[in-house]
Structures are given as C-alpha cells and as structure tokens.
Amino acid sequence: MFEALWHSLPDILSLGSLLAVAVGVVAGIFLGALPGLSATLGISVLLPFTFGMSPQVALGMMAGIYNGSMYGGAIPAILLRIPGTPAAVATTFDGYPMAQQGRANKALRVALVSSAIGGLASGLALMLLAPPLGSVTLMFGPTEIFWVSVFGILSIALLIKGNALKGLISAGIGIFVATVGIDPVSANERFTFGSLYLDDGISVIVLLIGLYAMPPVIDTLVNPQSGEESHAKEVDDEGFFKSLASMLGYWKTWLRASLIGIAVGILPGAGGSFGTFISYNEAKRSARNSEAWGKGEPEGVAAAETCNNADTAASMIPALTLGIPGTSVAAVMLGGFLIHGLQPGPNLFREHPDEVFGFMWQFLIASVMLLFLGGSVATRLFSKVLHLPRPLLGSIILSLMVVGAYSIHETLFDVFLMFGFGVFGYVLEKLKFPMAPIVLGVILGGFMEYNFRISMLMSGNDPAVLWSSAPSIVLIAMIVMLIVLTCFKQRLSSLIGKRLTN
Amino acid sequence: MKAISKGLMPTVVVCIALIVASIAFIVMGAGLPLASAMFPLAVLGVVGVLSVVLLVQSCLQGRQREGGEGHPESLGKVVLGLLCVLVYLVAVARLGFYASTFLMIPLMSAAFGYRRWERSLFGSALFTVMLYLLFDMAMGRSLPHGWLM
C-alpha cells in the first residue's frame, strides 16, 4: 500500500498540480475570511470549474480550498471578532483581544503557523491511517458495502447536532433524490416527469450549490451590515521569524490540539467547531497562566487554530475508505470525487491508487503552502476584502453560482433546478434541518440501492444474504448500537431539559 | 393539545408538504416495475412516516424554539431576495449571462442597501469582463447567450 504512496509523488510535484493547490489555498483563505461563507460553499461553487481538469489537479484544488478556508476563518475572527467559519469561534476568544491590544499581526501569524501545523498533522494521519483501513475494506462485497452505506448515512443523520428526526428526514430526501433518473440495474425511468434533462439523474453539484450557497447568499443580501467597523488598532510589525521563535514554546499545545482535531475529524458528525472548543478548554486547563486566557493569550489562538485544521484531512479518512464523511465539507469533497469518476469507498484504493494517494500528498503540500501564501500574500490582501459591501459580495457569488450550475451540462435547466434546491435548502436550514445528510444521501443513495439489488440478484432474492457474513453482522450490530445510543442521548437530553425547567 | 403558534407554523407547513410530496411520489412510482420501484418507494414511505412523527412531536411540544426564532431577517426581505434571484435567472435565459450579470450586480446591490453606483458599476464591469475572458476566451466554454450578449 505504501509503495503506491511513493509512486504517486512525481505527478503531485508537477506544475499543474502545485498551481492547483496554490490557487485552492488562496481561494480558500478568501472564502474562509468572508463571514457567512465557508469551505463547503467554496468547494461546491468552485467544483464545476474543475471539470476540464484532470482528477488529480481538481483534488489538489479542493485540498487547498479546505486547508485555506480553515485558516481564512481566523482573519475576521481576530480582526473583527466575526468568525469566518464556525470552527473559528474559539479563535475570537484570544485573537480579538490581541488585535485590540495592537497585536493583530502576531495573532494572525500564530493562527497561520498553528493552522499549517494542524494541517500537516492531519495530512500525516490520513497517510498513515487510511491505507490500512482501506485494505481491510477491500474484503467487502456488495452486501457489506450496502451496510456500510446504511451506517454512513445513519451516522451522519443521527449524530449530527440537533434533532435526529430531522437528520433522518434529510437523509431520506437525499436518498430519494439519488433515485431520480434511469434505474442503473433495469434501465427504467424513475420520477423524470418525461424530461430528458433528468434521465441522467440530478447532479450532486447542482444540489450542493443550491443547498449550500443559496442560504448564505440570501443572508448576505438581507443582512447588509459590512465589516467596516473594525475596532482593531494599527497592527504591529514584528518580523515573521521573530514571531516564529516565540511560538516554539507552544509545541505541547500544537501536539495536543492536533491529536484532538484528528480524533474529532475521524468521528462522523462531530465537526470542527466541537473539536476547537475541547482543544481550547484542554489547553487552558493545563496552562500555568490560565487567568490570562480570554484576554489576549496567543497560545489560545494556537490551540483553536491547530485543532480546526487538524480535522481537515482526518475527516477524509472514513470518507475515502468507507464513504462516511466526518464533516459536511468532507461530504462535499466526496461529491468532488464522484464527479471526477472516483467512487469513495472500499474499492477506491484498488482502482485509483495514484489519485487517492496523490490527494494525501496534496493535503500535506497545501499545509506547507498555507504557511507561505497565508503569510506573505493572502493575509494582507484578503483582510481588505472584509471591507467589501455585503450586497455587492452576495451579487457576485450569485453570478458564480449560475456559472457553476450551468457549466455542468451547459443547460439552463440545471440553473433553475439549483434555484429550486436553493429555496428548499433555505427553508430547511432556517428550520434547523441538517444539510449534510441530504448531500450524503444523494452521494451514497444510488450506491446503496445498487449494492442492495446486486446482493439480492446474486442470492436469488434471498434476504438472508444480508446477514450471512461476519462483516455484515458486525455492521448490523454497529447500526443497532448507533440507534440505541442516539435514543439514549435524546432521552438523556430531554430529561436534563425537564430538570432544568423545573 | 396546545394551539399551533406562529413559531411552530413553518415546521408544520414543511411537514405537511413533505407528507403530501411523499404520497404524490409514491402514487407516481406505483406504476413502475417492482424491482425499480421498491427502493425509492420504501424511502418515500420512511420520509412520510418520519414527517408525520415530526409533525405530531412539534404539535405536542407546543411553541417550538428552533422553528420561528434565531433568524432576525424579515420574511419580506427574504422573499424580495429570492424574487431578485429568480428575475436574474430569467434575465440570464432571455438577455444572456454577461448582460444580465452586468446589470444585476449594481441593481441588486442597490436594492439591498449599497447605492454607490460608480463603484458598483465599475466592479460589475470588471467582474463581467473577467468572467468573459476566463470562460469564453481562455477556457472556450460559452456561458448562456441571449438577446443582448
């Protein structure tokens, strides 16, 4: 397995691949720095631009966006106390006080170096953990793949923050959307309303752009307050290397935060912001000067930023090996893999070793590039973008959404379909229905149905095939445990809620 | 059962819409061969049943905190935003992408509070030209053309 890792390296060091990662990092910082936008939106809007690229170049760009946006979120968190991404909330605790004290540059540099270190740790975890897990999953047949898909969708639907019932409904909607079009086994048209445009099914990209980009665009338009009210004082101008030397003492925080980020990233549904709070609290708890935390302690910025970048590649470990993404960004990344003909799951490592191992290198390279691009170019340049008026920004993103949806099949049908999903997504988001299970349902739904039907065909329609192998029984047991755990969790939280109200 | 409050209404409406849509698609899929219909109909059945459960749960809980709260933007502004988006999409289909984008950016910015016309017109022109150079010239991919461009 690790031979393939070395084999993929020359392609990754080509100019096209490196350029794609660099463009992705800069675009990611740009998107992450804009409050309300996110890596999810960035990847979903920019995915159609990668159609003409080779899979490796496209994956490099996605890896760059993911890494860049996680750091980008720190820029408004530090300068304006507006977290660019949910994962950057903990960065505001010490980052903003530092900016008010005239130490904004120092805070940005700590965030940058910590983000790069977190990203490197995460990339290494992806390299070390994904191949062994991938070789285990190679033993899976259609029945086991069916159960893995069920487990993946259920884990995201049930473990994601909020009402589990809404998560399940979202997942069901996604799975149903995946069944629209020509049935892959018996070639019957399903739910196409006689439209040729729907024969190939609904593009996951159209769905992604609608669900993830439309709600923030509408919010950007209707909440037009700009970021011009920066209270940050004139920034200090300490040299980069001088700052770096003073950061070396944070090694324990970097190590701890990296491990927390990786663990949280691997857990489906846990998400980046959850990890950064744990990381911040743990670092504060073990600090000697814990009373200074929250008042401008650079190590607080380090704890938060290391962790939110450490869960990036880690969330791709279950995504690549089992098709179960750890975060919603990872779910969107799975969509990116799909449109380039790479089906995440057990066979990915066998069928596309160069692309998947190359992707791991690109994650590492993106972390290194972040250090240079984030420091010398992007931070100075894109912190100015924060002053862009929000209605203007919303309008520009809207036109990019149209470009993205249209580029897939060069038809306006997809553009109006994207609008429909956007309105639907806006309503669901306001009612706290999670979006990630819908996306995962669309990604895994077709795969799930196909493997279920192949299993049944191979067994002569004997349902006993579904629980005839040891891995299937283990997976069924895991699904049962997941459901029991969720019921227990919901019951416990309702009991606590009742106690608190009484 | 408590009366359906204003905050609960959106959830109730969405649950009812999901139930109706599930039934409609089940009826539509009933004519398909069993092998093709079985999986989507099972999923629709589950969505329908879960929507009923959510509806009942929401009604029993009374005023739902998460439904009507937490988003200060007014409904009128949101509807205006969505209408503007729809008008833009129709304009893209009729006038062409570049012309409608050039017009949409300053007009929509003005509609939502940014009325520095010279800046928004300049930004819009710059952005549209950049897209044209990138797509039509560099990548050879044509974006929708219409009456104007």
Side-chain angles (χ1 to χ4, degrees):
Chain A
M1 242 341 149
F2 287 102
E3 282 168 27
L5 199 59
W6 294 113
H7 188 260
S8 63
L9 192 55
D11 279 351
I12 297 312
L13 296 175
S14 68
L15 183 65
S17 165
L18 292 176
L19 202 62
V21 178
V23 169
V25 168
V26 174
I29 296 173
F30 176 87
L31 288 160
L34 298 171
L37 309 187
S38 62
T40 321
L41 178 143
I43 296 170
S44 52
V45 170
L46 296 178
L47 257 183
F49 292 82
T50 68
F51 283 161
M53 301 174 184
S54 71
Q56 200 66 74
V57 173
L59 295 181
M61 191 180 271
M62 289 195 284
I65 295 173
Y66 200 173
N67 265 290
S69 64
M70 282 297 141
Y71 162 64
I75 299 173
I78 289 167
L79 297 178
L80 306 169
R81 206 168 65 174
I82 303 169
T85 57
V89 172
T91 309
T92 61
F93 299 165
D94 286 288
Y96 186 65
M98 282 180 76
Q100 286 188 307
Q101 293 156 14
R103 294 189 294 154
N105 255 356
K106 165 100 175 172
L108 287 169
R109 281 178 186 141
V110 171
L112 177 67
V113 173
S114 304
S115 295
I117 287 171
L120 276 171
S122 196
L124 284 173
L126 177 64
M127 276 184 173
L128 295 174
L129 301 178
L133 195 57
S135 52
V136 171
T137 57
L138 277 179
M139 293 185 288
F140 288 4
T143 316
E144 290 80 11
I145 294 173
F146 164 72
W147 284 119
V148 166
S149 308
V150 174
F151 179 73
I153 292 175
L154 279 180
S155 60
I156 289 295
L158 295 174
L159 296 179
I160 211 153
K161 209 177 125 193
N163 188 331
L165 202 53
K166 289 180 176 175
L168 286 173
I169 292 173
S170 294
I173 293 168
I175 298 171
F176 172 68
V177 170
T179 66
V180 173
I182 292 180
D183 165 13
V185 180
S186 49
N188 292 304
E189 276 188 24
R190 298 188 296 193
F191 313 106
T192 62
F193 300 94
S195 167
L196 291 175
Y197 293 118
L198 289 173
D199 274 358
D200 287 340
I202 291 169
S203 163
V204 69
I205 303 303
V206 171
L207 180 100
L208 283 175
I209 296 174
L211 289 184
Y212 281 107
M214 188 68 87
V217 162
I218 296 297
D219 284 341
T220 303
L221 289 171
V222 301
N223 295 315
Q225 78 275 16
S226 73
E228 287 174 22
E229 64 279 8
S230 171
H231 301 302
K233 285 184 185 172
E234 255 333 284
V235 291
D236 54 314
D237 206 15
E238 189 186 40
F240 179 76
F241 289 103
K242 203 176 165 191
S243 304
L244 192 62
S246 68
M247 286 179 221
L248 295 176
Y250 306 153
W251 68 272
K252 276 187 193 168
T253 298
W254 284 334
L255 184 67
R256 188 189 305 109
S258 295
L259 292 174
I260 292 170
I262 290 166
V264 169
I266 293 174
L267 289 174
S273 49
F274 166 66
T276 53
F277 284 111
I278 297 178
S279 171
Y280 184 86
N281 282 335
E282 283 304 305
K284 186 180 175 183
R285 208 167 52 87
S286 55
R288 284 182 192 160
N289 60 338
S290 58
E291 71 286 347
W293 286 56
K295 298 170 189 163
E297 171 56 49
E299 207 167 345
V301 177
E305 282 301 307
T306 310
C307 184
N308 72 29
N309 268 64
D311 87 343
T312 52
S315 69
M316 295 306 295
I317 295 171
L320 295 180
T321 52
L322 300 166
I324 306 169
T327 59
S328 58
V329 195
V332 177
M333 298 270 274
L334 287 192
F337 271 74
L338 272 184
I339 65 157
H340 285 284
L342 310 170
Q343 173 72 55
N347 291 323
L348 184 65
F349 287 80
R350 185 168 53 194
E351 290 167 6
H352 304 281
D354 282 352
E355 285 85 355
V356 72
F357 288 111
F359 178 65
M360 295 174 184
W361 283 114
Q362 285 169 320
F363 246 104
L364 281 183
I365 291 168
S367 302
V368 177
M369 279 191 180
L370 181 63
L371 209 52
F372 296 100
L373 296 171
S376 58
V377 187
T379 304
R380 283 168 195 272
L381 185 64
F382 291 120
S383 58
K384 289 184 172 45
V385 175
L386 294 171
H387 300 284
L388 207 63
R390 287 169 69 92
L392 199 60
L393 180 68
S395 312
I396 289 172
I397 297 169
L398 175 64
S399 59
L400 287 177
M401 287 165 61
V402 171
V403 172
Y406 181 79
S407 302
I408 301 161
H409 299 121
E410 300 204 345
T411 160
L412 283 165
F413 179 83
D414 282 343
V415 176
F416 284 96
L417 197 60
M418 176 273 290
F419 175 72
F421 279 124
V423 176
F424 186 59
Y426 187 83
V427 173
L428 290 190
E429 195 188 84
K430 291 298 164 197
L431 295 175
K432 308 280 188 229
F433 279 81
M435 296 292 124
I438 303 184
V439 176
L440 198 60
V442 176
I443 292 170
L444 290 182
F447 195 49
M448 187 164 110
E449 182 191 10
Y450 179 79
N451 283 288
F452 171 75
R453 287 174 66 183
I454 292 295
S455 303
M456 297 309 281
L457 283 173
M458 283 164 65
S459 67
N461 287 324
D462 178 10
V465 71
L466 294 176
W467 50 86
S468 61
S469 70
S472 295
I473 293 168
V474 171
L475 285 163
I476 293 168
M478 284 167 68
I479 291 167
V480 172
M481 272 173 61
L482 181 70
I483 294 167
V484 171
L485 193 74
T486 309
C487 292
F488 178 71
K489 202 177 88 181
Q490 297 247 323
R491 182 84 190 129
L492 194 69
S493 59
S494 81
L495 276 175
I496 292 169
K498 275 180 190 168
R499 284 268 170 89
L500 287 174
T501 49
N502 288 336
Chain B
M1 192 186 292
K2 292 173 188 172
I4 295 174
S5 66
K6 201 178 165 186
L8 183 63
M9 271 307 283
T11 308
V12 170
V13 172
V14 166
C15 285
I16 292 171
L18 286 172
I19 294 163
V20 171
S22 302
I23 293 169
F25 281 120
I26 287 173
V27 171
M28 196 178 158
L32 288 167
L34 182 66
S36 290
M38 188 173 60
F39 189 81
L41 295 195
V43 172
L44 286 167
V46 171
V47 171
V49 169
L50 291 175
S51 302
V52 172
V53 175
L54 183 62
L55 180 67
V56 173
Q57 192 189 66
S58 303
C59 290
L60 287 175
Q61 279 173 355
R63 180 172 165 78
Q64 193 187 46
R65 258 177 286 159
E66 53 193 357
E69 295 171 7
H71 48 102
E73 62 269 12
S74 71
L75 184 65
K77 268 189 161 184
V78 172
V79 172
L80 176 69
L82 291 171
L83 270 176
C84 285
V85 174
L86 189 60
V87 168
Y88 168 57
L89 299 187
V90 173
V92 168
R94 300 282 172 187
L95 305 178
F97 175 78
Y98 295 111
S100 38
T101 300
F102 172 68
L103 295 171
M104 178 274 289
I105 292 175
L107 289 176
M108 201 178 281
S109 300
F112 289 97
Y114 184 71
R115 295 194 179 90
R116 289 186 168 182
W117 289 99
E118 68 288 358
R119 285 189 185 192
S120 59
L121 277 168
F122 174 73
S124 176
L126 189 71
F127 179 69
T128 313
V129 169
M130 272 172 58
L131 283 182
Y132 177 75
L133 292 176
L134 181 68
F135 281 89
D136 277 56
M137 305 295 280
M139 292 166 71
R141 295 189 78 135
S142 175
L143 292 173
H145 287 266
W147 296 339
L148 286 181
M149 218 179 137

